[in-house]
Amino acid sequence: MTTIAILAAGAMGAGMGLRLAEGGATVLTNLDGRGAGSRARAAEAGMRDVPLDDLAGADMILSIVPPGSAVALAERLAPSLRAGARKPAFVDLNAISPATAERVRAALDGTGCPVVDGCIIGAPPKRAGVSPAVYVSGDPAGLTAPLGRHGLDLKPMDAPFGAASGLKLVYAMCTKGVTALAAGMFLGAERRGAGEALRAELDRSQPELVARFGKAMPDMLPKAYRWVAEMREVAAFLGPDDPAAMMFEGAARIYERLAADAEGSGELGRALLGAAARG
Amino acid sequence: MTTIAILAAGAMGAGMGLRLAEGGATVLTNLDGRGAGSRARAAEAGMRDVPLDDLAGADMILSIVPPGSAVALAERLAPSLRAGARKPAFVDLNAISPATAERVRAALDGTGCPVVDGCIIGAPPKRAGVSPAVYVSGDPAGLTAPLGRHGLDLKPMDAPFGAASGLKLVYAMCTKGVTALAAGMFLGAERRGAGEALRAELDRSQPELVARFGKAMPDMLPKAYRWVAEMREVAAFLGPDDPAAMMFEGAARIYERLAADAEGSGELGRALLGAAARG
């Protein structure tokens, strides 16, 4: 029986926990300081809440947190991993740049635990039998193979540590990047009185984009706060000499503004939903 | 018989000339200082090369030039329009911001010619009977109606001067903006060794984008040099306080780099075509 620890029990973490538990794994988590939502999701997914130190006794630890928390989580677990005897594989599945993944690995240096780089592409699994793609790199020994046996759509990459993180970022460029661009377009058009004409022309000449944006805007708004750091990771990955990095710093700022709006009046979010749904 | 002057005889200008000539209009242009390509296109389109001053004798003048040349063209024509008796409507169809359209109007101030704001959305007309959409705003008297009668797909907007330019820019955000983003993605992925994995994941989960990008990249490369100014017009239209403006300054720089590459080794362009066509 494989024991897999997942931090944290967010929508994605709990979704993966549910799938792994259904696939016969024992799934642990730690809910210290987590809110009611995480507790409910963890309970529903069959994840067992154990003390932080006990996670070091699992066969594998999956890190699934907001990109800005990836290094902090590794640092937080390092002492118990160093002290523990089991030495589970630590699998970072976050949307971070290869450079940040290196910092995660450095934070776990001296613990004796192997560190694997990974990423998740797709939505949290909700229906039975469905899993997003889980890419892993820097795992020549196949330490992550149990994830595939327990129901995840595991895609081992024949590539060094960091390649899976890189893939996630370049993929996010054309999904979350395009969504940021569309949000900027709709809000700019509304603000400048061109919203209605834009929508008529898009309906006429870009029906696929209209369909994509109509779905993407309501899906994005509650996650905008998380995508800020992810867009900055993309910019860092590209490096300051790449002009595309500027596009992603801009995307980060769009999500920053939408996240602040969601905390405040929600006015921009409503305008965006109205513009994307119009037709 | 309506006489319509078109400057310049680029791919779009000559395409519009061909359609209007087929539609029964007399089409004039001026080829001073233009290269062999323009001369050939103008001849093929049935456009008559006349001295610059004679353009002021037309019923209407269409300005179809690279965005960076829109104001300069108006300034160049202003003296003969001021001197002329006919006072043709000057229709700016360029991809410029409403603020730049105001500068075009200001350059023609005192000529006595009405100035109409417009834009073209779609590819140059090549087959008989096909026309891109020609939006016009700030034309309450319907001075541009002959364009519709002579074969163009005229779309009068019930909106003030500048609205058509604004529409063109916001529309370009999700067409040329998305293309810039895709170019940045493919080049970044290739440079960081993630090209192959990216393409496999896109084929799996984003087939519509793969189809779009596969068509957009070869279509864009020869035009990248023109899209630099257009992306900067978008940024100016949004204004410095809009975080989306940063995305479009980044897009301008991506096109700048691709335009310089096309003048030089062509290495980036080839990498981009390879990445977009892979599969």
Side-chain angles (χ1 to χ4, degrees), chain A:
Chain A
M1 164 88 82
T2 310
T3 300
I4 298 169
I6 301 180
L7 279 176
M12 182 61 87
M16 302 295 258
L18 176 63
R19 181 60 9 92
L20 289 165
E22 284 174 356
T26 298
V27 183
L28 310 179
T29 190
N30 172 267
L31 294 167
D32 295 355
R34 299 286 299 190
S38 289
R39 290 176 186 279
R41 277 191 297 266
E44 206 178 320
M47 298 165 87
R48 282 174 43 208
D49 179 23
V50 302
L52 196 69
D53 285 349
D54 290 11
L55 298 182
D59 297 303
M60 205 183 307
I61 297 177
L62 308 186
S63 170
I64 305 177
V65 292
S69 307
V71 175
L73 175 66
E75 287 169 346
R76 195 165 142 237
L77 289 178
S80 50
L81 291 172
R82 195 175 295 114
R86 190 70 182 270
K87 307 305 178 193
F90 185 98
V91 186
D92 186 293
L93 293 174
N94 301 304
I96 55 179
S97 69
T100 305
E102 283 297 349
R103 288 175 53 214
V104 167
R105 181 153 73 169
L108 296 164
D109 202 33
T111 60
C113 295
V115 183
V116 174
D117 174 53
C119 75
I120 302 168
I121 293 184
K126 277 172 187 153
R127 287 176 297 116
V130 174
S131 164
V134 178
Y135 287 88
V136 289
S137 66
D139 181 22
L143 299 172
T144 54
L147 297 176
R149 289 200 295 274
H150 291 290
L152 298 191
D153 181 13
L154 187 73
K155 295 184 179 294
M157 295 171 77
D158 182 17
F161 186 92
S165 285
L167 170 63
K168 172 72 176 175
L169 291 189
V170 294
Y171 183 77
M173 292 173 77
C174 81
T175 52
K176 293 161 191 172
V178 168
T179 297
L181 205 143
M185 172 188 72
F186 282 126
L187 291 175
E190 292 293 321
R191 188 160 49 82
R192 305 304 297 257
E196 216 166 308
L198 171 67
R199 183 50 194 256
E201 177 57 35
L202 289 178
D203 282 342
R204 193 182 73 88
S205 58
Q206 303 286 345
E208 313 83 10
L209 289 184
V210 168
R212 167 175 283 262
F213 298 159
K215 196 173 165 309
M217 294 305 130
D219 182 54
M220 169 272 287
L221 280 177
K223 301 177 195 155
Y225 75 99
R226 274 199 283 124
W227 294 2
V228 175
E230 190 168 343
M231 294 294 99
R232 293 228 159 91
E233 291 282 330
V234 170
F237 179 57
L238 293 169
D241 290 342
D242 188 330
M246 184 178 241
M247 289 194 84
F248 292 94
E249 174 57 28
R253 293 186 191 184
I254 289 172
Y255 287 134
E256 216 157 41
R257 182 168 284 193
L258 289 171
D261 171 75
E263 293 289 306
S265 71
E267 192 188 337
L268 287 180
R270 281 190 299 276
L272 196 50
L273 292 179
R278 176 191 268 157

Side-chain angles (χ1 to χ4, degrees), chain B residues 70-71 74 90 92 94-108 115-118 137 161-166 233:
Chain B
V71 175
F90 185 99
D92 186 295
N94 301 304
I96 55 179
S97 70
T100 304
E102 283 298 349
R103 287 175 56 213
V104 167
R105 182 152 72 170
L108 296 164
V115 183
V116 174
D117 174 53
S137 66
F161 186 93
S165 285
E233 291 282 327

Side-chain angles (χ1 to χ4, degrees), chain B residues 78-163:
Chain B
S80 50
L81 292 173
R82 194 176 295 114
R86 192 70 181 272
K87 307 304 178 193
F90 185 99
V91 187
D92 186 295
L93 293 174
N94 301 304
I96 55 179
S97 70
T100 304
E102 283 298 349
R103 287 175 56 213
V104 167
R105 182 152 72 170
L108 296 164
D109 203 31
T111 61
C113 294
V115 183
V116 174
D117 174 53
C119 75
I120 302 169
I121 294 184
K126 277 175 189 154
R127 287 176 297 114
V130 174
S131 164
V134 178
Y135 287 88
V136 289
S137 66
D139 182 21
L143 298 173
T144 53
L147 297 176
R149 290 201 295 274
H150 290 290
L152 298 190
D153 181 13
L154 187 73
K155 295 184 179 293
M157 295 172 79
D158 183 16
F161 186 93

